[in-house]
């Protein structure tokens, strides 16, 4: 325990790259090809879906998915589906990675064999169970032992085909007996409260004079078990769906009676024949999973201050932040938490300016400036992603939507032309689209975020100073980021930048590819633009844009976004679309049940208002001005027996909304909270349940205007773009330093070697960039000390947690393999080593 008290929180995030599948089984038809997509699931809940790759048995997806995980889970699962136009899409196979195994595959490409999907193995959730053995006197005066089995509740059961009506069967099973009983069905909930007790006779009646209170025959206890099976009551002709089971041998009562514990549901052996995993093909994934235990801010002060001083260290290569980039396997790994930390504390521009200037000084050829995957380029990429997303939406979204809705053919490759298409007509369509996109980009300079402009100014100045004879380098240094790494990728894959809600169709995707290529070349200001295309048809098409006005427009735009003292316009007056999508809504004050109360609507959030309409593009049916949003909070499932619900609270009423999944619900709550954070009349308390049948379900208050009974979520910064937890980012940086400790020590050795021996460098040290060995060694010593102090705090936290945590508790149910592994580690770790 540190001197400031430990306020610890846990957060988890994952980044998944779904790369490709190969050797999928052929379709049982003449075509043999399949139209496949991949889903990412937390247990059974789908949180992401890739595009459909048509007519392939080796589909390449190449899509990244990042999310904060808002709940506990047991498996991160990936399902490959085959699209079926006429029936429900069929599952080809799955990859399920247990939570405790995610670190094995952290940040490396791995091929996984697809496994067969059996309904009996698709389980999730946990059960609260109590067993009690007691002596009962029969009417004849003799004694027998009876077992009371109490099913209290379940949590986190899967939703099957949009509904969950669970019930449990309780069976006392042994070699010569099987006695089953059943609970009532609980409608429309995946967290059922059963609280039912079932009695079973365990031993044959015996004489009451027997003194051994719970002395029953060994063979009875050793061979009997309680089995609890969870089912979803279905109206389908196929019968009820199996949700999972648990088996408890009665010998647990030898240790304690009564026995009460939470259990994870387990799959059952369906008895089906085993199939070779290779029959279904394989899936290549790259999974990055982090789980942080974040302490209070004071714990991180020494390491955080060391990092924030990085921009002032001379040379910058000797700073803590630069050293992190040197030891990490991938520069991106270091760039993400560094940029977020520096943005949070307003130090990102000085830091990027310092590392960019150092990189420019090392660059020999102006044509290769900022072309590598250096720490500088990765940090600027991450800054543009965080600070520039709204700017990207304002600039490109309307034009991208127009291209997607037009469905005009723009194919200019003669080999790809379809029958009846005209090459000249397609070229004209493509030219119009390129002109439109080019125009909105080059006229958007005044909207470019200040932090991006300040970074571009430092790039421009550093490049111009280094290469004084090259008059264009001040432009190419900036265009290599704003065009090549910002606008062009967003045009190419608009769904990854939330410019489109879904993947574009193949024809539109091809059009956007051609537009992106052209815009990228226009922005590059290269001397020989036609030669920069590999394809002859692209070189011919580019002749349309060889006029000087295009180069002048690019330079004027680059001048504006990289000028010192640029006016910083306040928020754009036109509405900025922040998020949109289908959800289900219900209004406050209506009857609890009824189909008309819940309707699917298209929701849109801008910086001005939150609206919904019947379908996308329709006029709004209802609008909430942002200034009228008093709070945005989760709604307890018990209110309507529905998951993933939240409430948007207004002065007169609350709007109850159900999102598609837990990740979407969190995303909507976060963005709505951020955009309304500065409202003067925001609530301090709220009701976590609904007002139904004349009272609030949470506190039973009868007045619909009664003050809330729970504190609202608070402490979020008002800035929509940069909702960053500085302590969490410092914790992530600590984790990186800790995992690369051997490299830090090797870098120390390299500094010592260079200081003492001024000769040919040893090969093992050549990977490190060390300009000043003494200053670098000094910083390394401080980093290692800071990491060591935090390691001690984490070790103490784990010891305290281990002492307080009970196996079989709600947090760590029996069957929690990650906790079992943790117990083994703690029992094997000597106290002094921690």
């Amino acid at each position: 325990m540190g001197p400031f008290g430990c306020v610890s929180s846990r957060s988890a995030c994952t980044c998944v790259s779904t790369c490709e599948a190969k050797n999928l089984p052929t379709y049982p038809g003449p075509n043999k090809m399949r139209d496949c997509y991949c889903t990412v699931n937390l247990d059974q809940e789908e949180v992401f879906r890739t595009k459909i790759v048509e007519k392939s048995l080796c589909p390449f997806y190449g899509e990244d998915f990042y999310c904060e995980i808002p709940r506990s889970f047991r498996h991160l699962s990936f399902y490959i589906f085959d699209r079926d136009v006429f029936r429900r899409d069929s599952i080809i196979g799955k990859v399920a990675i247990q939570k405790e195994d995610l670190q094995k595959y952290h940040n490396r490409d791995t091929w996984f064999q697809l496994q067969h999907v059996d309904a009996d193995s698709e389980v999730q959730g946990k059960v609260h169970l109590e067993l009690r053995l007691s002596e009962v006197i029969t009417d004849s005066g003799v004694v027998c032992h009876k077992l009371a089995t109490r099913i209290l509740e379940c949590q986190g059961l899967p939703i099957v085909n949009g509904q969950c009506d669970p019930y449990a069967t309780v069976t006392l099973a042994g070699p010569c007996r099987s006695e089953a009983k059943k609970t009532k069905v609980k409608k429309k909930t995946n967290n059922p409260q059963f609280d039912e007790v079932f009695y079973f006779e365990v031993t044959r009646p015996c004489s009451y004079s027997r003194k051994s209170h719970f002395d029953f025959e060994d063979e009875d206890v050793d061979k009997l078990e309680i089995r609890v099976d969870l089912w979803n009551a279905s109206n389908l002709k196929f019968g009820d769906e199996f949700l999972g089971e648990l088996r408890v041998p009665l010998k647990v009562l030898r240790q304690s009676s009564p026995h009460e514990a939470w259990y994870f549901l387990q799959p059952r052996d369906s008895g089906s024949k085993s199939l070779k995993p290779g029959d279904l093909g394989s899936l290549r994934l790259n999974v990055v999973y982090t789980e942080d235990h974040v302490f209070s801010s004071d714990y991180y002060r020494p390491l955080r201050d060391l990092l924030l001083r990085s921009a002032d260290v001379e040379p910058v290569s000797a700073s803590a932040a630069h050293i992190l980039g040197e030891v990490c396997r991938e520069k991106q790994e270091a760039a993400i938490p560094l940029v977020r930390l520096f943005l949070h504390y307003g130090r990102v521009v000085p830091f990027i300016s310092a590392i960019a200037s150092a990189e420019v000084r090392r660059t020999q050829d102006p044509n290769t400036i900022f072309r590598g995957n250096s720490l500088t380029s990765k940090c600027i990429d991450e800054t543009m992603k965080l600070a520039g997303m709204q700017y990207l939406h304002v600039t490109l979204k309307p034009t991208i939507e127009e291209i997607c809705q037009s469905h005009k053919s723009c194919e200019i490759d003669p080999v790809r032309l379809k029958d009846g298409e005209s090459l000249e007509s397609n070229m004209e369509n493509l030219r119009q689209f390129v002109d439109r996109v080019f125009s909105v980009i080059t006229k958007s300079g005044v909207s470019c975020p200040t932090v991006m402009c300040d970074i571009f100014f430092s790039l421009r100045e550093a490049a111009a100073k280094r290469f004084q004879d090259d008059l264009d380098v001040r432009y190419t240094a900036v265009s290599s980021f704003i065009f090549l790494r910002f606008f062009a990728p967003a045009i190419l894959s608009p769904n990854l930048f939330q410019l489109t809600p879904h993947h574009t169709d193949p024809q539109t995707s091809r059009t956007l590819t051609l537009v992106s290529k052209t815009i990228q070349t226009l922005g590059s200001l290269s001397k020989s633009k036609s030669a920069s295309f590999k394809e002859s048809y692209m070189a011919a098409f580019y002749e349309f844009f060889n006029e000087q006005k295009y180069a002048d427009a690019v330079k004027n735009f680059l001048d504006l976004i990289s000028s010192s003292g640029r006016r910083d316009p306040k928020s754009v007056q036109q509405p900025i679309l922040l998020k949109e999508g289908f959800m289900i809504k219900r209004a406050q004050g209506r009857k609890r049940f009824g189909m008309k109360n819940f309707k699917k609507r298209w929701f849109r959030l801008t910086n001005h208002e939150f609206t919904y309409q019947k379908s996308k593009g329709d006029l709004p049916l209802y609008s909430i001005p942002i200034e009228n949003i008093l709070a945005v909070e989760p709604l307890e499932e018990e209110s309507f027996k529905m998951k993933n619900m939240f409430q948007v609270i207004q002065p007169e009423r609350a709007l109850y909304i159900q999102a598609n999944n837990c990740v979407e619900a969190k995303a909507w709550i976060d963005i709505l909270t951020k955009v309304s954070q500065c409202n003067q009349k925001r609530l301090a308390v709220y009701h976590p349940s609904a007002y139904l049948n004349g009272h609030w379900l949470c506190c039973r208050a009868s007045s619909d205007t009664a003050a809330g009974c729970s504190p609202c979520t608070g402490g979020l910064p008002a800035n929509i773009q940069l909702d960053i937890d500085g302590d969490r980012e410092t914790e992530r940086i600590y984790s990186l330093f800790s995992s690369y400790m051997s490299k830090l020590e090797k870098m120390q050795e390299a500094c010592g070697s260079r200081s003492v021996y001024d000769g040919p460098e040893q090969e093992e040290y050549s990977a490190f960039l060390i300009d000043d060995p003494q200053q670098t060694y000094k910083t390394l010593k401080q980093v290692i000390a800071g990491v060591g102090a935090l390691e001690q705090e984490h070790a103490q936290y784990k010891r305290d947690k281990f002492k307080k945590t009970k196996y079989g508790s709600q947090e760590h149910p029996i069957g929690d393999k990650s906790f079992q592994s943790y117990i083994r580690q703690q029992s094997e770790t000597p106290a002094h080593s921690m």
Side-chain angles (χ1 to χ4, degrees), residues 10 22 68 110 131 325 434 472 505 540 639 641 664 689 777:
R10 171 187 293 181
K22 67 178 181 182
E68 300 283 339
T110 307
L131 301 178
V434 170
D472 283 336
D505 60 79
S639 297
K641 310 294 184 185
E664 271 292 291
S689 291
Y777 186 90

Side-chain angles (χ1 to χ4, degrees), residues 102-130:
L102 285 170
Q103 286 301 321
K104 295 180 185 176
Y105 311 107
H106 179 77
N107 201 23
R108 59 189 177 92
D109 280 355
T110 307
W111 282 100
F112 294 89
Q113 294 291 333
L114 287 171
Q115 305 295 324
H116 287 268
V117 176
D118 181 356
D120 286 343
S121 68
E122 298 289 282
V123 303
Q124 72 177 57
K126 52 192 175 184
V127 181
H128 192 189
L129 179 71
E130 181 183 313

Side-chain angles (χ1 to χ4, degrees), residues 630-631 649-650 681-686 712-713:
L630 306 183
I649 304 172
Q650 311 161 67
K681 296 182 180 180
R682 278 189 64 86
L683 298 177
V685 291
Y686 79 107
C712 287
T713 306

Side-chain angles (χ1 to χ4, degrees), residues 227-247:
R227 190 180 76 237
V228 179
D229 295 272
L230 268 293
W231 299 85
N232 179 42
S234 173
N235 296 321
L236 301 176
K237 62 181 179 180
F238 304 110
D240 297 347
E241 292 101 348
F242 175 75
L243 300 180
E245 72 169 16
L246 65 93
R247 295 170 181 259

Side-chain angles (χ1 to χ4, degrees), residues 10 72 125-129 153 155 259-265 801-816 819 823:
R10 171 187 293 181
S72 60
K126 52 192 175 184
V127 181
H128 192 189
L129 179 71
E153 61 178 311
Q155 288 189 354
H259 168 78
E260 180 189 349
W262 284 85
Y263 285 83
F264 269 139
L265 285 170
K801 180 185 175 186
F802 179 66
K803 291 175 184 177
K804 296 174 184 176
T805 305
K806 176 187 173 185
Y807 187 49
S809 64
Q810 185 175 357
E811 184 182 6
H812 294 290
I814 293 173
D816 184 349
F819 187 66
I823 290 175

Side-chain angles (χ1 to χ4, degrees), residues 17-20 104-112 283-287 329:
S17 175
T18 52
C19 301
E20 60 181 316
K104 295 180 185 176
Y105 311 107
H106 179 77
N107 201 23
R108 59 189 177 92
D109 280 355
T110 307
W111 282 100
F112 294 89
L283 180 65
R284 181 163 65 93
L285 301 168
N286 188 314
V287 180
R329 187 174 65 177

Side-chain angles (χ1 to χ4, degrees), residues 20-171:
E20 60 181 316
K22 67 178 181 182
N23 302 328
L24 300 180
T26 57
Y27 184 77
N31 187 10
K32 298 188 181 301
M33 295 290 106
R34 294 181 182 270
D35 300 338
C36 296
Y37 61 90
C38 178
T39 67
V40 182
N41 295 54
L42 290 176
D43 295 321
Q44 317 256 318
E45 183 180 9
E46 180 183 322
V47 294
F48 178 72
R49 180 179 294 199
T50 69
K51 63 186 176 185
I52 297 172
V53 177
E54 297 179 333
K55 297 183 175 129
S56 175
L57 298 179
C58 297
F60 179 82
Y61 300 108
E63 296 189 41
D64 294 335
F65 168 67
Y66 171 87
C67 79
E68 300 283 339
I69 298 178
R71 64 171 176 84
S72 60
F73 68 101
R74 293 164 67 184
H75 294 89
L76 183 64
S77 302
F78 305 84
Y79 292 80
I80 297 290
F81 284 84
D82 184 17
R83 181 183 61 179
D84 194 313
V85 178
F86 303 105
R87 295 175 298 177
R88 182 182 296 176
D89 297 348
S90 58
I91 299 176
I92 295 175
K94 74 170 182 178
V95 171
I97 308 174
Q98 293 182 350
K99 179 183 176 182
E100 55 270 21
D101 291 337
L102 285 170
Q103 286 301 321
K104 295 180 185 176
Y105 311 107
H106 179 77
N107 201 23
R108 59 189 177 92
D109 280 355
T110 307
W111 282 100
F112 294 89
Q113 294 291 333
L114 287 171
Q115 305 295 324
H116 287 268
V117 176
D118 181 356
D120 286 343
S121 68
E122 298 289 282
V123 303
Q124 72 177 57
K126 52 192 175 184
V127 181
H128 192 189
L129 179 71
E130 181 183 313
L131 301 178
R132 184 186 299 269
L133 196 65
S134 57
E135 289 184 344
V136 179
I137 304 174
T138 66
D139 293 338
S140 59
V142 295
V143 176
C144 70
H145 292 99
K146 288 205 171 182
L147 175 71
T149 303
R150 184 183 179 194
I151 307 294
L152 289 98
E153 61 178 311
C154 299
Q155 288 189 354
L157 300 179
I159 295 176
V160 182
N161 299 324
Q163 59 97 34
C164 188
D165 298 333
Y167 68 90
T169 60
V170 183
T171 306

